[in-house]
Amino acid sequence: MAARGQGQLQDFDFFVVVDFEATCVKDARIFPQEIIEFPAVLVDGATGRMESAFRRYVRPKHHPLLTQFCRELTGIRQEDVDGGVDLGEALWLHDDWLKEATAGAGNKRSVRLAVVTWGDWDCRTMLEFECRFKGIEKPSYFDQWINLRVPFQAAFGGGGRVNLQEAVRAAGLDWEGRLHCGLDDALNTARLLVAIMRRGVKITITGSLAPPLSAPILQQPQPHMSSYGGYSGTCLCYCGLANRGGVMQGKCFSGCANWGPAMGAQFGWSN
Ligand code: AMP
Ligand code: MG
Ligand code: MG
């Protein structure tokens, strides 16, 4: 049975709002990019109440020293990541937190929850890429998500591509905290989610790692490619970046610019 949200019956008992921060450099790509902050905010699907928050800093393995640009962008200090956990542990800790925070949800055997992010990058690209690259298993609830941009447009309109801060303000809310601090981004995304729920919009899954039935069948995995194409049939290079020029007759045929033969040894399949 659907839960009565603020203004709309929602299909989920809880929304888990996530916003990853990752290693970065100015005006260039870093490879492999790694998650350095793993925050989540739990929102009750029936009441719109923020129930609990989670955060772990994550120690990057390949580029352990954060660039000055990254520290200034995210507000994350070198000592934060030096004292952080690895991604696998962060996923376990997050899962433990989630189980405990949702344990009081009646006497249901299973809780219906959905991950919410601003955009598709967090689940489709960043987490998926890093887990594949490092051979880390992640909970299946990260394999589908709600890109809040979609219900935001339904609730507040606006044709342009607004960023999270602009969207929060367009919803009549003040921005709280520091932009690009993962936990503050997640909290503001959660506040925006609640504002959208109050507008009477039904919040539904917008993205998934599973290709739709009509998607092209991609060829057997090559060392530099991922094994699925995403909704649009777009190839993803194993570096996690969309490889738009790489689909022909339903098959991936090339890696993206990040990949070169010399990097072959860095790639491998985790499944
Ligand atoms: P966000 O959730 O918008 O704070 O961004 C997530 C991640 O994207 C950041 O932790 C960075 O790794 C990357 N990122 C965001 N903005 C920039 C930028 N202007 N230049 C380089 N990387 C960025
Ligand atoms: Mg983000
Ligand atoms: Mg952020």
Side-chain angles (χ1 to χ4, degrees), residues 19-25 33 69 73-74 121 180 185:
D19 183 272
F20 298 124
E21 301 303 327
T23 50
C24 52
V25 290
Q33 193 170 28
F69 173 78
L73 181 80
T74 62
W121 176 82
H180 300 304
D185 285 356

Side-chain angles (χ1 to χ4, degrees), residues 24 43 52 61 67 101 160 162 169-170 180-181 205 229 244 263:
C24 52
V43 175
S52 182
K61 220 186 252 174
T67 60
V162 293
R169 289 179 175 151
H180 300 304
C181 159
I205 296 295
R244 292 188 192 288
M263 294 167 71

Side-chain angles (χ1 to χ4, degrees), residues 18-22 37 39 73-74 118 121-122 164 175 178-186 189:
V18 171
D19 183 272
F20 298 124
E21 301 303 327
E37 185 183 353
L73 181 80
T74 62
W118 181 254
W121 176 82
D122 297 82
L164 173 59
W175 178 266
R178 187 190 195 289
L179 184 63
H180 300 304
C181 159
L183 184 57
D184 289 346
D185 285 356
T189 306

Side-chain angles (χ1 to χ4, degrees), residues 50 118 148-149 151-158 162-176 187-201 203:
M50 288 191 216
W118 181 254
L148 203 61
R149 284 181 182 279
F152 169 77
Q153 291 241 324
F156 296 101
V162 293
N163 66 30
L164 173 59
Q165 194 170 50
E166 290 164 346
V168 163
R169 289 179 175 151
L173 303 169
D174 289 329
W175 178 266
E176 287 179 4
L187 283 163
N188 281 290
T189 306
R191 294 170 63 235
L192 181 58
L193 166 67
V194 175
I196 293 168
M197 287 164 68
R198 289 194 178 135
R199 282 256 167 157
V201 174
I203 313 288

Side-chain angles (χ1 to χ4, degrees), residues 2-56:
R4 171 151 294 283
Q6 303 232 332
Q8 172 63 274
L9 291 174
Q10 300 294 345
D11 286 341
F12 299 101
D13 300 310
F14 293 99
F15 296 105
V16 190
V17 184
V18 171
D19 183 272
F20 298 124
E21 301 303 327
T23 50
C24 52
V25 290
K26 189 171 168 33
D27 299 330
R29 287 201 180 118
I30 190 165
F31 182 88
Q33 193 170 28
E34 294 172 284
I35 291 171
I36 52 176
E37 185 183 353
F38 190 136
V41 175
L42 187 69
V43 175
D44 188 310
T47 64
R49 229 179 60 182
M50 288 191 216
E51 296 288 342
S52 182
F54 168 90
R55 166 155 76 182
R56 284 297 182 283

